[in-house]
Amino acid sequence: MDTAYVIDTLFTLFSITLIILMVPGFAMLEAGLVRTKNVSSVLTVNVMIYAVASMAFILVGFHLAFGDFQSTTMSQWAFFMFQMAFVGKAINIMSGGVGERARLLPLTLFTVIMGAFIYPTAVNISWGSDWIKDTVFDLSFVDLAGSTVIHSTGGWALLAAILIIGPRKGRYVGDQIRVIPASNIPLVVLGAMLLWIGWFGFNGGSVGSIATKEAADSVALTIFNTNAAGLAGAIAAGVLIYLRYKLFDITMILNGALGGLVAITAGPHLYTLYDSLAVGLIGGVLVVLAVPLFDRFRIDDPVGALSVHLVNGIWGTLAVGLFASNPAKGITFLNQLKGVGEIAVFVFTVSFVIIYAINKLVAFRASDDDQVQGLDVSECGLEAYPEFKRAI
Amino acid sequence: MDTAYVIDTLFTLFSITLIILMVPGFAMLEAGLVRTKNVSSVLTVNVMIYAVASMAFILVGFHLAFGDFQSTTMSQWAFFMFQMAFVGKAINIMSGGVGERARLLPLTLFTVIMGAFIYPTAVNISWGSDWIKDTVFDLSFVDLAGSTVIHSTGGWALLAAILIIGPRKGRYVGDQIRVIPASNIPLVVLGAMLLWIGWFGFNGGSVGSIATKEAADSVALTIFNTNAAGLAGAIAAGVLIYLRYKLFDITMILNGALGGLVAITAGPHLYTLYDSLAVGLIGGVLVVLAVPLFDRFRIDDPVGALSVHLVNGIWGTLAVGLFASNPAKGITFLNQLKGVGEIAVFVFTVSFVIIYAINKLVAFRASDDDQVQGLDVSECGLEAYPEFKRAI
Amino acid sequence: MDTAYVIDTLFTLFSITLIILMVPGFAMLEAGLVRTKNVSSVLTVNVMIYAVASMAFILVGFHLAFGDFQSTTMSQWAFFMFQMAFVGKAINIMSGGVGERARLLPLTLFTVIMGAFIYPTAVNISWGSDWIKDTVFDLSFVDLAGSTVIHSTGGWALLAAILIIGPRKGRYVGDQIRVIPASNIPLVVLGAMLLWIGWFGFNGGSVGSIATKEAADSVALTIFNTNAAGLAGAIAAGVLIYLRYKLFDITMILNGALGGLVAITAGPHLYTLYDSLAVGLIGGVLVVLAVPLFDRFRIDDPVGALSVHLVNGIWGTLAVGLFASNPAKGITFLNQLKGVGEIAVFVFTVSFVIIYAINKLVAFRASDDDQVQGLDVSECGLEAYPEFKRAI
């Protein structure tokens, strides 16, 4: 008994460090994808989110999500911190997609509300216990590590934000879509790989225990499948892009990998290896198809967050109903679809209202002049690379 | 019995990898904070310290620190390597603060002496056993993972070094303090986050065992509180700076986080959540207040190491006497103050004498010409970014 | 029994994450060592290798290497993924050394064949079981984590590739060897340190179990010795270079560390501390001596992969026969030499034939124009740092 408690605590602490490694992961990925004049701003947003969302969740959100729940199978502090490590991710997804034009103060206000209320409510009705879940409604769908609860939640909040804040100045001019190249590819690769590795803790840790033979198999299968879906997503995106352009586009390959990772997240413990490859492969294809689609609707998302997290969050949750359907256990396509839909309605509506309200109080969108100059100067007072001469 | 031995060995190996992740952490943080012309030099110092200090500790220092002590609760090799992983940190703190003007050869000589003698003596009288501790004096204060033994030790050595080596050329001109901006903000963020995550191994591993229910709770609480203090330090520094300048200064926010992490390090296993938030919050405030203070006294510290590590090393050690006072167990404010004072006198005095002596043998300070040109050329023979055109 | 199974699964998952951290490790190291115009290309190769080689090994190679072997001491999925994490490393070694002129499509084809067939065969006859090993030949030499199976294998494939592909345009002009400086030293340091830390998982995990007192001691000794050899290699290379040039060359210091790490990899569980220091020290010296030697033979290797991985892969395997000779257990210098030689003949021959054949199908070497312009534009369609003005 004590041995299981000890091992699960150690396993959860290990998972936590991998998840928190996703903080520099997201930060490097986004810093590499935006223009140099907005790099400090984007980095500050990432650090702010980790600090503010975690604090909001510690002080308010955790209780809202889990009520008086006490972990008895591992140290309560490990359980608490594991849950805390998740909250920033949903907001990171949202903040990345409004990069290069969203101001920091309103983003901070939204982070407080999302970390204290919106995300914890989504957790409660999906994974939690206690008052909302028992008295209001219980989403009985499978979402092991948050294809919906984390990734779609972040994606729906992002969609609401983009509709209110609008595209970056100069992105859509007349009929033209201006391509804005990533400024630092090594950071993109570093960030994506840190996210990939962090995912092992995210999904593996979500199994909840490693302390029996069956649990150990489940955790190892989960991590194996998670990685396999990432591999398949990368290869699918790479092949598609190569067939079309005869070029190897590393940002698209990495977004394909991340798409596969998002897609597998709802059910990696339920799949065979070949299921996982299929889920990840489709995830990579969806990213390649979705990126130009959002642009066609003038939904400007500099890091591809909607394609990676929202589209694949939905796909991954539905995939459980396709590949791991088990009506005897209540796992059906319809239940999965219902889960996707209910979180969509809840998160999009609440986020839209709150972002709209904050925007009335403090403008979310940086002025055109500040965007042209770069948010680093207007928001942070310091440039990311002050000594390097700019070519463009 | 065997199971506990195995689990504690695994736990310690896990902690070791996190601590050694602080080597690239410090390296990236410092490389990002200095000017491009000194980046290779700063990186070389960081790698040199890991190699030379670890080797000095393996061959000489460990025996001085721990005598004939044999770990019986985990593999002796894990215990040995865990202690080895600490030594470089104290010297990193010192080397960062004399960046951009200290030469590599004398720094290497000091690293040998600090790794072989100064740091191991500080460890012996604080944590060790054997001859010095038993026959000379035993500091009976609480310092779990080294707010004093690591952070103040590095800080006092740094203060001695700065007094001897002087400020960077051009930093203080007449009454003016010239601001020298950080050259690469993504590296600063990456480095600070790697340090933050490494701290979980530093403090968690210092509990010494995870192999019982009580030990597992203590480790998880330690890591939770460590992180919470970092969050509070970041938020405190961010709010203070924003209120004053209406700007989000990411370097100050990160230094606030690191200040909170240093401050919690003496007693994370003894605090409640709210104690930890208070300790970290005050840590973040102290960094914001201390940085301009050192500049007022013309103590030039390009990475803010004195504010982060010395000031908060002292604060953190005293905080144990305020928040976790327990006279029955000998934990009192006076004991803590005595520990701070004795290490201060010992480390500052010995470091001053040794740095002074080395400086007579091989000048510590790079010539004005070499500083203007940058230490990368004179010390390393290679530039960090030879292809990027410099704007300044 | 279950406890051992659980602990070894957790230990292997921990080792896996460290090994996969070597993917960004190699990527950052190589991205920092090449010129800015080839950085995206080099990064794309690294990500491609992880995706494609892992997939080839999952679908084909694993069965070839291990037949129907079923792990009973840990989760089969953990064992599978641990083996999968190795495959990319051998190919990374090869791809790094042909950087700045090898094209991506033929490299991808070779990656498929090496991940599915060449590397698994080398594994089978060295570590595996089943048909080839039982019916053809069984190399009875000691190579714990692959000084030969990984590092020499990658090195021999690289040598074959360089002989076919040739040096970078402009590297050897008449009698002159043109020095091409590394473009981003922070990335070099970050990458090398991630590799160093990843090595703990590589070598430690290769012990195969941590679940008894003896096994825990063996794992901890392995990791301690691995690190010690890296320290000794770094110091040896640094001292040699300093004595000759009075400069601290960080790229050579890091290559010395990596050389020591490669050299220790065959037998870290068998050495004393002083053996390990000797093995690593000689490894560092060999790197410093080998780098100019390969250049004298006009074998152009932009990242020093032959000096680090091939030379030290051979040295490290032979070192087991010198420092840990035990004829009663069949550990002799001659057996080690035989293992080195047989893998050399097998890998070099097969790689040469396959690279030669691929080269007839799709030219491996980028055109002179594409090399002058940089492979980022011709192969990837995106520059790594489009906003930074180039000085050279």
Side-chain angles (χ1 to χ4, degrees):
Chain A
M1 172 60 202
D2 257 22
T3 302
Y5 184 97
V6 165
I7 289 174
D8 278 340
T9 299
L10 176 56
F11 168 58
T12 302
L13 292 173
F14 165 63
S15 301
I16 288 168
T17 62
L18 293 183
I19 300 172
I20 297 181
L21 211 55
M22 298 170 97
V23 176
F26 264 114
M28 294 304 112
L29 178 68
E30 296 183 6
L33 285 171
V34 302
R35 284 167 289 183
T36 54
K37 64 184 178 181
N38 297 313
V39 168
S40 294
S41 156
V42 155
L43 290 165
T44 309
V45 168
N46 275 276
V47 173
M48 176 280 289
I49 287 173
Y50 181 59
V52 170
S54 301
M55 187 65 81
F57 190 78
I58 289 173
L59 296 179
V60 178
F62 180 78
H63 190 74
L64 187 58
F66 294 99
D68 296 324
F69 174 75
Q70 297 284 327
S71 170
T72 54
T73 64
M74 69 178 74
S75 170
Q76 176 73 5
W77 295 103
F79 179 78
F80 192 175
M81 191 163 169
F82 183 75
Q83 296 301 332
M84 179 216 81
F86 274 43
V87 57
K89 304 301 160 286
I91 309 172
N92 265 129
I93 293 161
M94 177 268 183
S95 74
V98 292
E100 304 211 278
R101 76 276 205 200
R103 292 175 57 228
L104 255 149
L105 187 61
L107 266 181
T108 306
L109 297 176
F110 182 70
T111 298
V112 171
I113 294 167
M114 187 142 174
F117 302 107
I118 306 175
Y119 170 78
T121 305
V123 168
N124 190 299
I125 59 182
S126 305
W127 299 333
S129 56
D130 211 18
W131 66 278
I132 315 177
K133 177 150 183 161
D134 293 346
T135 58
V136 188
F137 63 145
D138 178 359
L139 305 183
S140 41
F141 73 121
V142 172
D143 186 15
L144 179 72
S147 285
T148 287
V149 181
I150 307 280
H151 296 280
S152 300
T153 289
W156 290 118
L158 170 57
L159 189 61
I162 292 179
L163 294 179
I164 292 167
I165 302 174
R168 289 169 288 175
K169 179 180 162 52
R171 173 79 167 122
Y172 305 114
V173 181
D175 282 353
Q176 301 292 309
I177 299 172
R178 194 174 139 227
V179 176
I180 297 176
S183 66
N184 194 324
I185 301 296
L187 294 186
V188 174
V189 174
L190 175 64
M193 287 308 309
L194 291 180
L195 289 177
W196 192 324
I197 294 166
W199 233 288
F200 302 158
F202 219 100
N203 289 9
S206 291
V207 173
S209 173
I210 198 173
T212 63
K213 198 165 181 302
E214 291 68 37
D217 283 336
S218 186
V219 169
L221 177 68
T222 292
I223 293 176
F224 191 97
N225 282 345
T226 297
N227 186 62
L231 300 172
I235 292 172
V239 168
L240 269 189
I241 289 287
Y242 186 78
L243 291 178
R244 186 147 173 202
Y245 299 106
K246 302 289 174 227
L247 289 170
F248 294 89
D249 180 334
I250 181 69
T251 61
M252 202 53 106
I253 292 171
L254 292 170
N255 269 341
L258 296 176
L261 289 162
V262 171
I264 195 74
T265 289
H269 57 316
L270 301 175
Y271 295 142
T272 68
L273 166 58
Y274 296 98
D275 292 344
S276 302
L277 294 177
V279 169
L281 189 144
I282 294 170
V285 171
L286 287 174
V287 169
V288 175
L289 299 178
V291 164
L293 204 69
F294 283 112
D295 260 334
R296 195 168 306 161
F297 291 102
R298 314 230 143 184
I299 291 170
D300 180 23
D301 172 5
V303 301
L306 289 172
S307 307
V308 170
H309 299 279
L310 178 56
V311 171
N312 275 302
I314 294 169
W315 156 239
T317 309
L318 298 180
V320 173
L322 296 174
F323 290 95
S325 177
N326 188 339
K329 292 191 177 171
I331 307 177
T332 65
F333 186 82
L334 272 178
N335 267 348
Q336 295 299 106
L337 187 63
K338 190 166 148 280
V340 168
E342 291 178 330
I343 291 287
V345 171
F346 167 68
V347 174
F348 182 81
T349 312
V350 173
S351 298
F352 193 93
V353 169
I354 288 169
I355 294 168
Y356 191 88
I358 291 174
N359 195 39
K360 292 284 165 198
L361 199 69
V362 199
F364 245 102
R365 185 182 175 83
S367 72
D368 284 3
D369 282 357
D370 286 349
Q371 287 190 50
V372 169
Q373 186 190 31
L375 271 60
D376 287 3
V377 171
S378 60
E379 295 279 310
C380 303
L382 52 85
E383 290 181 270
Y385 310 106
E387 296 188 38
F388 296 146
K389 197 160 190 171
R390 282 205 216 137
I392 53 174
Chain B
M1 172 61 202
D2 257 22
T3 302
Y5 184 97
V6 165
I7 289 175
D8 279 339
T9 300
L10 176 57
F11 168 57
T12 301
L13 292 172
F14 166 62
S15 301
I16 288 167
T17 62
L18 293 184
I19 299 173
I20 297 180
L21 211 56
M22 297 170 98
V23 176
F26 264 114
M28 295 303 111
L29 178 69
E30 296 182 6
L33 285 172
V34 301
R35 284 166 290 183
T36 55
K37 63 183 178 181
N38 298 313
V39 167
S40 293
S41 156
V42 154
L43 290 166
T44 309
V45 168
N46 275 276
V47 173
M48 177 280 290
I49 287 173
Y50 181 59
V52 170
S54 301
M55 187 65 81
F57 190 79
I58 288 174
L59 296 179
V60 178
F62 179 78
H63 190 74
L64 187 58
F66 293 99
D68 296 324
F69 175 74
Q70 296 285 328
S71 170
T72 54
T73 63
M74 69 177 75
S75 170
Q76 177 74 3
W77 295 103
F79 178 78
F80 192 176
M81 191 163 170
F82 183 75
Q83 296 300 333
M84 180 217 79
F86 273 44
V87 57
K89 303 300 159 288
I91 309 173
N92 265 129
I93 291 161
M94 177 268 184
S95 75
V98 293
E100 304 209 279
R101 78 274 206 200
R103 293 174 58 228
L104 255 149
L105 187 62
L107 266 181
T108 306
L109 297 177
F110 182 72
T111 298
V112 171
I113 295 167
M114 186 141 175
F117 302 108
I118 305 176
Y119 170 77
T121 306
V123 167
N124 189 299
I125 58 181
S126 304
W127 298 335
S129 55
D130 212 17
W131 65 277
I132 317 177
K133 177 150 182 163
D134 293 346
T135 57
V136 188
F137 63 143
D138 178 359
L139 303 184
S140 42
F141 73 120
V142 172
D143 186 15
L144 179 72
S147 285
T148 287
V149 181
I150 307 280
H151 296 279
S152 299
T153 288
W156 290 118
L158 171 57
L159 189 61
I162 293 180
L163 294 179
I164 291 167
I165 302 173
R168 289 169 288 176
K169 179 180 161 54
R171 174 78 167 122
Y172 305 114
V173 182
D175 283 352
Q176 299 291 310
I177 299 172
R178 193 174 139 228
V179 175
I180 297 176
S183 65
N184 193 323
I185 300 295
L187 294 186
V188 174
V189 173
L190 175 63
M193 287 307 309
L194 290 180
L195 289 177
W196 192 324
I197 293 166
W199 233 289
F200 301 158
F202 219 101
N203 288 9
S206 292
V207 173
S209 173
I210 198 172
T212 63
K213 199 165 183 300
E214 290 68 35
D217 283 336
S218 186
V219 169
L221 177 67
T222 291
I223 293 176
F224 191 98
N225 282 345
T226 297
N227 186 62
L231 300 172
I235 292 173
V239 168
L240 268 188
I241 290 286
Y242 186 78
L243 290 177
R244 185 145 173 205
Y245 299 105
K246 302 290 172 226
L247 288 169
F248 294 88
D249 179 335
I250 181 70
T251 61
M252 202 53 105
I253 291 171
L254 292 170
N255 269 341
L258 296 176
L261 289 163
V262 171
I264 195 77
T265 290
H269 58 316
L270 301 175
Y271 296 142
T272 67
L273 166 59
Y274 296 100
D275 292 343
S276 302
L277 294 178
V279 168
L281 188 144
I282 294 169
V285 171
L286 286 173
V287 169
V288 175
L289 300 178
V291 164
L293 204 68
F294 283 111
D295 260 334
R296 195 167 308 162
F297 291 102
R298 314 229 144 183
I299 292 171
D300 181 21
D301 172 5
V303 301
L306 290 171
S307 307
V308 169
H309 298 280
L310 178 56
V311 170
N312 274 303
I314 295 170
W315 156 239
T317 309
L318 299 180
V320 173
L322 295 174
F323 289 95
S325 177
N326 187 339
K329 293 191 178 171
I331 308 176
T332 65
F333 186 81
L334 272 178
N335 268 347
Q336 296 299 106
L337 186 62
K338 190 165 148 278
V340 167
E342 289 178 331
I343 291 286
V345 170
F346 166 68
V347 175
F348 182 81
T349 311
V350 174
S351 299
F352 193 93
V353 169
I354 288 169
I355 294 169
Y356 189 88
I358 292 174
N359 196 39
K360 292 284 165 196
L361 200 70
V362 198
F364 244 103
R365 185 183 174 83
S367 72
D368 283 3
D369 281 357
D370 286 350
Q371 287 190 48
V372 169
Q373 186 189 30
L375 270 61
D376 287 3
V377 172
S378 60
E379 296 279 311
C380 303
L382 52 85
E383 290 181 272
Y385 311 106
E387 296 188 37
F388 295 146
K389 196 158 191 172
R390 284 207 213 132
I392 54 174
Chain C
M1 171 61 200
D2 258 23
T3 303
Y5 184 96
V6 164
I7 289 175
D8 278 340
T9 300
L10 175 57
F11 168 58
T12 302
L13 293 172
F14 165 62
S15 301
I16 288 167
T17 61
L18 293 184
I19 299 172
I20 298 180
L21 210 56
M22 296 171 98
V23 177
F26 264 114
M28 295 303 112
L29 178 68
E30 296 182 6
L33 285 172
V34 303
R35 285 166 289 183
T36 55
K37 63 184 179 181
N38 296 314
V39 168
S40 293
S41 157
V42 154
L43 290 166
T44 309
V45 167
N46 276 277
V47 173
M48 176 280 289
I49 287 174
Y50 181 59
V52 170
S54 301
M55 187 64 81
F57 190 79
I58 288 174
L59 296 178
V60 178
F62 179 78
H63 190 73
L64 187 58
F66 294 98
D68 295 325
F69 174 74
Q70 296 285 327
S71 169
T72 55
T73 64
M74 68 176 76
S75 171
Q76 177 74 2
W77 295 104
F79 178 78
F80 192 176
M81 191 164 171
F82 182 75
Q83 296 300 333
M84 180 216 80
F86 274 44
V87 59
K89 303 302 159 285
I91 310 172
N92 265 130
I93 291 161
M94 177 268 183
S95 75
V98 294
E100 305 209 280
R101 78 276 205 198
R103 291 175 58 230
L104 254 148
L105 188 60
L107 266 181
T108 306
L109 297 176
F110 182 71
T111 298
V112 172
I113 295 167
M114 186 142 176
F117 303 107
I118 306 176
Y119 170 79
T121 305
V123 167
N124 189 299
I125 58 181
S126 305
W127 299 334
S129 56
D130 212 17
W131 67 277
I132 316 177
K133 177 150 184 162
D134 294 344
T135 58
V136 187
F137 63 144
D138 177 359
L139 305 183
S140 42
F141 73 120
V142 172
D143 187 15
L144 179 73
S147 285
T148 287
V149 181
I150 307 281
H151 297 280
S152 300
T153 289
W156 290 118
L158 170 58
L159 189 62
I162 292 179
L163 294 178
I164 292 167
I165 302 174
R168 290 169 286 177
K169 179 180 161 53
R171 173 80 167 122
Y172 305 114
V173 181
D175 284 352
Q176 300 292 309
I177 299 171
R178 193 174 139 227
V179 176
I180 297 176
S183 67
N184 194 323
I185 301 295
L187 294 186
V188 174
V189 174
L190 176 63
M193 288 307 309
L194 291 180
L195 289 177
W196 192 326
I197 294 166
W199 233 289
F200 303 158
F202 219 100
N203 289 9
S206 291
V207 173
S209 172
I210 197 172
T212 63
K213 198 165 182 300
E214 290 68 35
D217 284 335
S218 185
V219 169
L221 177 68
T222 292
I223 293 176
F224 191 97
N225 282 346
T226 298
N227 185 62
L231 300 172
I235 292 173
V239 168
L240 268 188
I241 289 287
Y242 186 78
L243 290 177
R244 187 148 172 202
Y245 300 105
K246 303 287 174 231
L247 288 169
F248 294 88
D249 180 334
I250 181 72
T251 61
M252 201 54 104
I253 292 171
L254 291 170
N255 269 342
L258 296 176
L261 289 162
V262 171
I264 195 76
T265 290
H269 57 317
L270 301 175
Y271 295 144
T272 66
L273 166 59
Y274 296 99
D275 292 343
S276 302
L277 294 178
V279 169
L281 189 144
I282 294 169
V285 171
L286 287 173
V287 169
V288 174
L289 300 177
V291 164
L293 203 69
F294 283 110
D295 261 333
R296 196 167 307 163
F297 291 101
R298 312 229 146 185
I299 292 170
D300 181 22
D301 172 5
V303 302
L306 290 172
S307 307
V308 169
H309 298 280
L310 179 55
V311 171
N312 275 302
I314 295 170
W315 155 239
T317 309
L318 299 180
V320 173
L322 296 175
F323 289 96
S325 177
N326 188 338
K329 293 191 178 171
I331 307 177
T332 65
F333 185 81
L334 273 178
N335 267 346
Q336 295 299 107
L337 185 62
K338 188 166 149 280
V340 168
E342 289 178 332
I343 291 285
V345 170
F346 167 68
V347 175
F348 182 81
T349 311
V350 173
S351 298
F352 193 93
V353 169
I354 288 170
I355 294 170
Y356 190 88
I358 292 175
N359 196 40
K360 293 284 165 198
L361 199 71
V362 199
F364 245 103
R365 184 182 175 84
S367 72
D368 283 4
D369 281 358
D370 286 350
Q371 287 191 48
V372 169
Q373 185 189 31
L375 271 60
D376 287 2
V377 172
S378 60
E379 295 279 311
C380 303
L382 51 84
E383 291 181 272
Y385 312 105
E387 296 187 39
F388 296 146
K389 196 160 192 171
R390 283 205 216 136
I392 53 174

